[in-house]
Amino acid sequence: MATKFAWVLKTPQSRLGIKAASLGVAAFLLTGNSGALADVVFALFALVLYAFPPHRLRSAAGSFLVLLVLVIFSAPLANTVLMQFALASVSGVLFYLILALKEMVLVERRGWRELVTLAMLSFSIFLFFLFPLSMRFAIYWLVLFAAASISIRELLNATPIALVVALLIMELSWGASLMPLNSLRAASLVVIITFVIIDIASRGLQKTLTRRVLLTDISFASALALAIGAATQWGM
């Protein structure tokens, strides 16, 4: 049994899986322990998991930092067992993907990095709309901008474009918050438009953006936005 366990630990996927599960458990425990001390302990534990072995630390540092901040900010909102398990599961899966990018375990790294970026953006946008309105424009406004700009910068490797897209996401979030939409629908609307913007920007930098792709993206976003609008009761 010990020999089999040692053999399993030799595979990179198994080691990363154990690290990801450990972070998920730590995120679950964080939801029941509020306060600065618990946040610091969680951050240090996560940093140790990410930093060892200490190579290629910068390759996914931005995504790791964003995940760390999002988990700490979302932990106080996880006030039910279901939300606690959801936060732990999402944190563990995202951390596994981040570690896999860092350790170069995944093939087709570009596609996986896009997935991580879109997941981080979705996480940050949904968290923005889950925050109480009084805190939404005081604290998490900056968190949303930082999370978006860092995630997009890591994907596109273009700081000016990342900052512009992050500002667009902030404006979209502000506009959606003024509409008669509940938090889930407002966040979904912003996420859909954000995905389209990211796809257009990414294809533009790769010089693969065509009129057909542009029309497809706009049509897709418009159809889903209309579906969300049709499911909403609009008052006069």
Side-chain angles (χ1 to χ4, degrees):
M1 180 64 69
T3 304
K4 289 184 178 180
F5 184 71
W7 179 82
V8 169
L9 289 180
K10 289 182 180 180
T11 63
Q13 294 85 351
S14 300
R15 291 197 301 269
L16 299 187
I18 292 173
K19 286 186 175 183
S22 300
L23 185 91
V25 172
F28 182 85
L29 295 175
L30 181 65
T31 59
N33 297 275
S34 59
L37 179 59
D39 293 341
V40 171
V41 171
F42 173 79
L44 291 176
F45 178 69
L47 181 61
V48 170
L49 292 176
Y50 176 80
F52 293 95
H55 57 80
R56 291 181 51 82
L57 294 178
R58 297 181 60 183
S59 61
S63 296
F64 168 71
L65 178 61
V66 170
L67 177 62
L68 189 63
V69 172
L70 292 178
V71 171
I72 290 175
F73 270 82
S74 59
L77 300 177
N79 49 17
T80 66
V81 175
L82 180 60
M83 293 181 68
Q84 291 171 349
F85 273 109
L87 176 61
S89 301
V90 171
S91 303
V93 171
L94 289 177
F95 191 55
Y96 179 87
L97 294 176
I98 291 171
L99 290 176
L101 288 172
K102 170 179 174 283
E103 301 292 336
M104 300 184 69
V105 173
L106 298 173
V107 296
E108 300 293 338
R109 287 171 52 82
R110 176 72 184 185
W112 287 108
R113 190 171 290 279
E114 288 179 352
L115 176 62
V116 170
T117 299
L118 296 178
M120 290 297 182
L121 291 172
S122 301
F123 193 169
S124 60
I125 291 169
F126 274 95
L127 182 56
F128 174 83
F129 284 98
L130 287 175
F131 255 76
L133 187 60
S134 59
M135 298 179 62
R136 197 178 289 173
F137 298 99
I139 299 175
Y140 199 69
W141 189 263
L142 296 176
V143 176
L144 175 62
F145 176 76
S149 58
I150 293 173
S151 298
I152 298 169
R153 165 65 177 80
E154 198 166 69
L155 172 66
L156 302 181
N157 196 26
T159 301
I161 295 178
L163 293 175
V164 170
V165 175
L167 285 172
L168 285 175
I169 294 173
M170 290 176 63
E171 292 293 330
L172 288 169
S173 300
W174 173 75
S177 67
L178 300 178
M179 300 173 69
L181 301 171
N182 60 32
S183 298
L184 179 60
R185 289 173 181 170
S188 299
L189 178 62
V190 176
V191 166
I192 292 167
I193 299 175
T194 297
F195 282 11
V196 170
I197 294 174
I198 294 295
D199 186 61
I200 293 173
S202 178
R203 291 178 181 273
L205 289 173
Q206 298 177 48
K207 301 186 184 303
T208 59
L209 181 63
T210 63
R211 181 180 298 178
R212 181 176 180 179
V213 171
L214 184 60
L215 291 175
T216 300
D217 282 349
I218 294 175
S219 300
F220 173 76
S222 300
L224 292 180
L226 287 173
I228 293 175
T232 303
Q233 294 182 354
W234 299 86
M236 297 300 292

